Structure formats: structure tokens, C-alpha cells
Amino acid sequence: MKLSRRLSWFLLVFGVWSWVIWVTFVKNLVKDGSGLAFDDGHPTAYFWVHLTLAVVSFVWGTVIGGIGLRGLRALRRTA
């Protein structure tokens, strides 16, 4: 299957965007002072659920961005 240049760039940008957004979210989650993420210094279920969501998003962002990068490299080889 051959991806278009536009779709390849979209996938690559989506992967990078996913990393930027979720890294920022995890930083804010660790610094949380509202009591949602930590209770007496111990992680809560809220923390673990959202950390799991972030890790899954890191994996998917990497996979999707990798597909976009491979699409761009394939287009460059055929040009």
C-alpha cells in the first residue's frame, strides 16, 4: 500500500502531537496538588488510569508517526 505525501505528513504530525500533548499531561499529573492523583503521597486510581492512558497514547503515537515516516521515506525513494 502506498500512502500519499499529505497522509504521510498527517500521520507523522499526529504522532509528534500525541507525544507533546501526553508528555505535558503526565508532567501536570505528577505535579497535581488537587488530591486527585495522589492521596497522602500515594498514587490513586485516577493517577494509574491516566498514566495507563498516556502510555497507550505514547505507543499509538509512535506507531502512527512511524507509519507516516515510512510513507514519506517510500515516497522519497520513488521520486
Side-chain angles (χ1 to χ4, degrees), residues 51-73:
L51 184 63
T52 302
L53 288 171
V55 169
V56 169
S57 294
F58 291 146
V59 171
W60 278 108
T62 302
V63 169
I64 291 169
I67 292 169
L69 185 61
R70 288 180 64 188
L72 288 172
R73 286 182 177 169

Side-chain angles (χ1 to χ4, degrees), residues 10-20 57-58 60-62 64-66:
F10 174 79
L11 294 174
L12 181 60
V13 169
F14 177 85
V16 171
W17 176 82
S18 180
W19 268 87
V20 169
S57 294
F58 291 146
W60 278 108
T62 302
I64 291 169

Side-chain angles (χ1 to χ4, degrees), residues 2 5 9 69-79:
K2 192 172 182 180
R5 183 173 312 280
W9 273 109
L69 185 61
R70 288 180 64 188
L72 288 172
R73 286 182 177 169
L75 286 169
R76 190 173 301 148
R77 279 192 303 257
T78 59

